[in-house]
Amino acid sequence: MAGPTAMRLSSVLAVLRPALPLILGLSLGCSLSLLRVSWIQGEGEDPCVVAVGEPGGPQNLDSGTQLDQSDEDFKPRIVPYYRDPNKPYKKVLRTRYIQTELGSRERLLVAVLTSRATLSTLAVAVNRTVAHHFPRLLYFTGQRGARTPAGMQVVSHGDERPAWLMSETLRHLHTHFGADYDWFFVMQDDTYVQAPRLAALAGHLSINQDLYLGRTEEFIGAGEQARYCHGGFGYLLSRSLLLRLWPHLDGCRGDILSARPDEWLGRCLIDSLGIGCVSQHQGQQYRSFELAKNRDPEKEESSAFLSAFAVHPVSEGTLMYRLHKRFSALELERAYSEIEQLQKQRLLNGYRRFDPARGMEYTLDLLLEAVTQRGHRRALARRVSLLRPLSRVEILPMPYVTEATRVQLVLPLLVAEAAAAPAFLEAFAAGVLEPREHALLTLLLVYGPREGGRGAPDPFLGVKAAAAELERRYPGTRLAWLAVRAEAPSQVRLLDVVSKKHPVDTLFFLTTVWTRPGPEVLNRCRMNAISGWQAFFPVHFQEFSPALAPQRSPQGPPGAGPDPPSPPGADPARGAPAGGRFDRQASAEGCFYNADYLAARARLAGELAGQEEEEALEGLEVVDVFLRFSGLHLFRAVEPGLVQKFSVRDCSPRLSEELYHRCRLSNLEGLGGRAQLAMALFEQEQANST
């Protein structure tokens, strides 16, 4: 029996021998963990339990009570709002622009020091050559009551002493623009500045350093480190340096005597802050050129001249214009050279399209050359898309408006447009009533002299039924309608009828039967129409004729060129219309306040009385009334949210010659794009030839 038992034991050990290290490791781990638990439990009070008690030592509480207290949920402490009635109420307002909240600043402000003798000559020449390149250009003079040339912002200090003029200029920059700009460039009016190069220089410099950059000059009798920037060639001051200098301006003005404003500033910076002028910083060199007397800029070919940021002195305005002509020609030559090189080596095809909402869009097919590590070359074709913005975005101060204002839509409806009215009402229900927009609708039903009379059928019966159906579907909705009779309906006369039935603070949105209002459109109407300040007349997007512009298939292969402009918000994957255009000729849609319209209408009646007024109303639209008889801003802008189906407007011969021409031009331009019209003519010629 011992023999078989020993054999079984040896066979079991042979099977377990590979797992024996694992079994031993698990046993050792369990033993150590149990031993550690006994050590921890034997150390006395739990430090976490001590922390929840009152200070002064461990608490004699049982473990059950301690666990119950530690598991108890925290209860929020609600502090009720209380406002002291004895203190004035201060409303907290957020900034209007996110740029203000983020602390973003403009890059460069240019200050020009001028005088009584040169304000109308050299200063005007400076303004005409460089003003359009900088966000803001200011002119500072010591002349009291200086006459400001057109298009220039002049600040008069009333004292022509050099030190006083410079200190007051810096004080003005700090007070009014210290929080808005990163760099301040100070120059004289007898200096020509190559504006694009200066702007590029400011863009390459760090804004977090105290910098005084320009053409360095030595003080008479001072050490090598004591240098100031020559004012004739201009100099850059960082915002941080201006902030540090401001508390020392009064002391420098009383202690430093100098006949030159630039030298006075240099001494003030060295004495108060220990900062001198430098001509190079962070690898950027400030380059200037001193123009000799009677030197012709057209014949100047030196590298110092061609690469200069500033040229000084400029003795007269004609020389300023000649310098500007020369540097502009140099920039054009460089641009044309780069374009020519690009065309010969890299550009295969190019397309462009103008989008009034964005700018000029470019699509380029480029031929690139790829080189491998072994030196093999291969040509690659790539397509890139570029955008040149329509213009620089400029922030203008405007009165405060909100998106909570109720909008009163007004729809003048002719008998010929009655068939299209139900579609408008359905769009109004989907875009205004469904999202519960704060807006109302008034239908202005315009009958002809022989329409809708006694015994005659009502041409607007279907419109009234559709309006009643919307009131039934949306309880609480009231769609008002007014009936007027006119032989030659005028937009101004029709609006007169509606205007008298609404308060003066009503915000009108004058629409057409083809308008499709929505939340975004209504919000832009509220934001762009400002009482006593601005009237808004949007430019809608008009789709091309479906007969000439069939539905488009998905985007074609590369190299086929860009497609015609599509309606904003269209989905090309589902077969969108082949395009359209913003109808600049149409101005029937507008947003304005009733008080502004009544003021413009009263001024029209005062200037044109009797028969002359009646004749004028025949040829005027509401936009013309605001344009000619109102002092408000007239804001015309494309509105991507207003997309209208193709329609042919009824151009009445009773319209004035200008309105009739605009109506006909709108119909013709709305047929299709140039490519579509050319294709239609080609197909017609092909059909005629066969």
Side-chain angles (χ1 to χ4, degrees):
M1 296 297 293
T5 304
M7 293 180 60
R8 293 192 190 95
L9 182 59
S10 61
S11 61
V12 171
L13 291 176
V15 173
L16 295 178
R17 185 176 290 112
L20 191 59
L22 177 62
I23 296 173
L24 293 176
L26 291 175
S27 302
L28 182 60
C30 293
S31 301
L32 292 176
S33 62
L34 292 175
L35 183 61
R36 182 175 180 273
V37 169
S38 63
W39 287 346
I40 294 176
Q41 290 179 349
E43 289 180 355
E45 297 293 339
D46 190 351
C48 296
V49 175
V50 175
V52 299
E54 295 295 333
Q59 305 299 313
N60 296 322
L61 300 175
D62 57 17
S63 59
T65 306
Q66 294 166 357
L67 290 176
D68 290 341
Q69 289 183 353
S70 62
D71 291 342
E72 183 180 358
D73 293 336
F74 289 101
K75 295 182 180 180
R77 179 189 177 194
I78 301 176
V79 180
Y81 173 75
Y82 172 75
R83 181 172 65 89
D84 190 350
N86 299 323
K87 295 183 179 180
Y89 175 69
K90 183 179 180 181
K91 185 178 180 181
V92 179
L93 296 176
R94 291 188 61 187
T95 57
R96 176 177 297 182
Y97 306 107
I98 193 171
Q99 180 188 31
T100 307
E101 290 192 357
L102 295 177
S104 302
R105 293 183 292 269
E106 294 285 351
R107 196 68 178 174
L108 180 63
L109 181 146
V110 178
V112 183
L113 303 181
T114 184
S115 63
R116 178 184 308 184
T118 59
L119 177 60
S120 59
T121 54
L122 286 176
V124 171
V126 171
N127 191 70
R128 291 179 177 177
T129 53
V130 301
H132 54 286
H133 290 284
F134 299 121
R136 186 178 291 272
L137 189 65
L138 301 177
Y139 297 85
F140 295 89
T141 178
Q143 179 185 358
R144 187 181 301 275
R147 184 177 180 181
T148 304
M152 296 172 57
Q153 187 174 353
V154 179
V155 179
S156 179
H157 296 313
D159 195 323
E160 295 185 347
R161 289 177 293 177
W164 182 280
L165 177 61
M166 176 57 71
S167 64
E168 289 302 312
T169 297
L170 296 176
R171 190 186 307 276
H172 184 91
L173 294 177
H174 173 273
T175 303
H176 296 88
F177 306 102
D180 300 329
Y181 290 86
D182 292 327
W183 294 98
F184 299 88
F185 183 73
V186 184
M187 58 177 284
Q188 298 174 182
D189 58 3
D190 60 347
T191 305
Y192 174 76
V193 175
Q194 227 292 322
R197 297 178 187 175
L198 180 63
L201 173 66
H204 283 84
L205 295 174
S206 175
I207 63 175
N208 296 323
Q209 298 184 10
D210 298 337
L211 184 60
Y212 178 34
L213 180 68
R215 176 164 173 164
T216 59
E217 296 287 338
E218 294 184 3
F219 291 104
I220 299 177
E224 294 182 358
Q225 299 299 327
R227 294 176 179 268
Y228 70 95
C229 291
H230 195 294
F233 300 95
Y235 44 88
L236 271 174
L237 296 173
S238 64
R239 174 178 176 269
S240 60
L241 181 61
L242 181 62
L243 296 180
R244 291 185 58 193
L245 177 63
W246 177 72
H248 305 282
L249 290 177
D250 290 336
C252 290
R253 189 168 59 187
D255 299 339
I256 301 175
L257 299 178
S258 178
R260 293 174 54 93
D262 51 359
E263 185 176 352
W264 176 87
L265 175 60
R267 290 188 180 277
C268 182
L269 285 170
I270 292 175
D271 294 346
S272 59
L273 303 177
I275 296 176
C277 177
V278 295
S279 59
Q280 186 176 1
H281 184 71
Q282 295 180 345
Q284 302 294 322
Q285 180 75 31
Y286 187 83
R287 299 181 295 271
S288 59
F289 183 80
E290 186 172 356
L291 188 64
K293 188 177 181 180
N294 299 327
R295 193 66 176 265
D296 188 1
E298 298 291 337
K299 299 179 180 179
E300 188 62 56
E301 297 291 342
S302 63
S303 59
F305 175 81
L306 299 179
S307 62
F309 292 99
V311 179
H312 173 79
V314 181
S315 57
E316 56 184 2
T318 55
L319 181 58
M320 186 83 70
Y321 298 131
R322 291 170 61 191
L323 285 167
H324 186 64
K325 177 183 177 182
R326 178 68 195 286
F327 279 99
S328 299
L330 292 174
E331 292 296 322
L332 286 175
E333 290 177 4
R334 181 183 60 82
Y336 286 144
S337 176
E338 294 179 356
I339 292 174
E340 184 179 0
Q341 182 182 8
L342 182 64
Q343 287 177 341
K344 289 182 179 181
Q345 297 182 5
R346 301 179 181 178
L347 184 61
L348 296 178
N349 301 301
Y351 314 94
R352 67 178 182 179
R353 178 178 66 178
F354 179 72
D355 185 354
R358 302 176 64 206
M360 186 67 73
E361 299 175 350
Y362 295 91
T363 302
L364 304 178
D365 292 332
L366 302 179
L367 182 63
L368 307 177
E369 188 177 58
V371 182
T372 63
Q373 294 180 352
R374 297 182 178 181
H376 299 292
R377 298 178 181 272
R378 180 185 177 186
L380 300 176
R382 293 291 184 267
R383 169 170 288 187
V384 297
S385 298
L386 307 173
L387 172 67
R388 184 178 183 182
L390 188 62
S391 61
R392 287 180 57 89
V393 177
E394 182 179 0
I395 298 178
L396 299 177
M398 299 291 285
Y400 179 73
V401 293
T402 67
E403 296 182 356
T405 307
R406 187 179 67 182
V407 180
Q408 176 66 57
L409 285 83
V410 179
L411 175 62
L413 201 59
L414 303 179
V415 173
E417 301 170 339
F424 171 87
L425 293 177
E426 288 297 328
F428 175 79
V432 179
L433 299 182
E434 284 288 348
R436 299 183 181 275
E437 280 290 322
H438 194 34
L440 302 176
L441 174 64
T442 297
L443 301 174
L444 191 59
L445 309 180
V446 184
Y447 291 86
R450 300 178 182 177
E451 296 167 338
R454 182 174 302 177
D458 187 356
F460 294 108
L461 186 61
V463 178
K464 298 176 182 178
E469 174 63 19
L470 287 185
E471 292 180 349
R472 185 190 64 80
R473 285 164 47 189
Y474 299 93
T477 300
R478 172 63 177 165
L479 302 182
W481 57 268
L482 300 174
V484 296
R485 191 177 301 276
E487 181 178 359
S490 166
Q491 192 184 44
V492 179
R493 286 200 182 98
L494 295 179
L495 189 59
D496 287 344
V497 177
V498 181
S499 176
K500 296 176 181 178
K501 298 182 178 297
H502 290 82
V504 294
D505 59 347
T506 302
L507 174 58
F508 284 132
F509 183 10
L510 188 60
T511 67
T512 68
V513 72
W514 311 109
T515 304
R516 298 297 181 259
E520 293 184 0
V521 176
L522 295 179
N523 283 337
R524 280 190 280 269
C525 176
R526 297 183 181 104
M527 300 301 291
N528 293 325
I530 305 174
S531 180
W533 186 272
Q534 180 173 279
F536 175 51
F537 286 84
V539 180
H540 66 257
F541 187 90
Q542 178 78 40
E543 294 180 357
F544 287 145
S545 171
L548 297 177
Q551 282 198 344
R552 173 178 33 185
S553 60
Q555 188 173 0
D563 296 323
S566 302
D571 186 3
R574 294 184 295 179
R581 93 231 187 273
F582 287 96
D583 192 358
R584 294 177 296 176
Q585 307 298 333
S587 56
E589 295 153 317
C591 297
F592 47 86
Y593 279 86
N594 192 17
D596 298 331
Y597 174 76
L598 292 175
R601 190 67 176 85
R603 182 176 174 183
L604 183 152
E607 296 184 8
L608 305 176
Q611 185 65 26
E612 187 178 0
E613 179 185 0
E614 295 297 324
E615 295 177 356
L617 293 180
E618 296 290 339
L620 290 178
E621 291 186 332
V622 175
V623 63
D624 301 314
V625 174
F626 280 100
L627 185 62
R628 294 174 53 183
F629 302 99
S630 173
L632 274 64
H633 295 271
L634 191 61
F635 184 30
R636 284 275 283 169
V638 295
E639 176 49 70
L642 286 180
V643 181
Q644 295 191 8
K645 298 292 184 182
F646 172 78
S647 63
V648 179
R649 298 169 58 190
D650 183 18
C651 301
S652 173
R654 294 180 176 271
L655 297 173
S656 66
E657 182 178 356
E658 180 182 358
L659 292 181
Y660 182 80
H661 175 72
R662 283 163 50 184
C663 179
R664 293 284 297 167
L665 192 59
S666 175
N667 288 336
L668 294 176
E669 291 180 349
L671 292 176
R674 288 184 297 178
Q676 296 159 344
L677 294 176
M679 183 60 67
L681 291 175
F682 176 75
E683 293 175 354
Q684 183 178 2
E685 290 182 358
Q686 291 286 75
N688 293 337
S689 61
T690 57

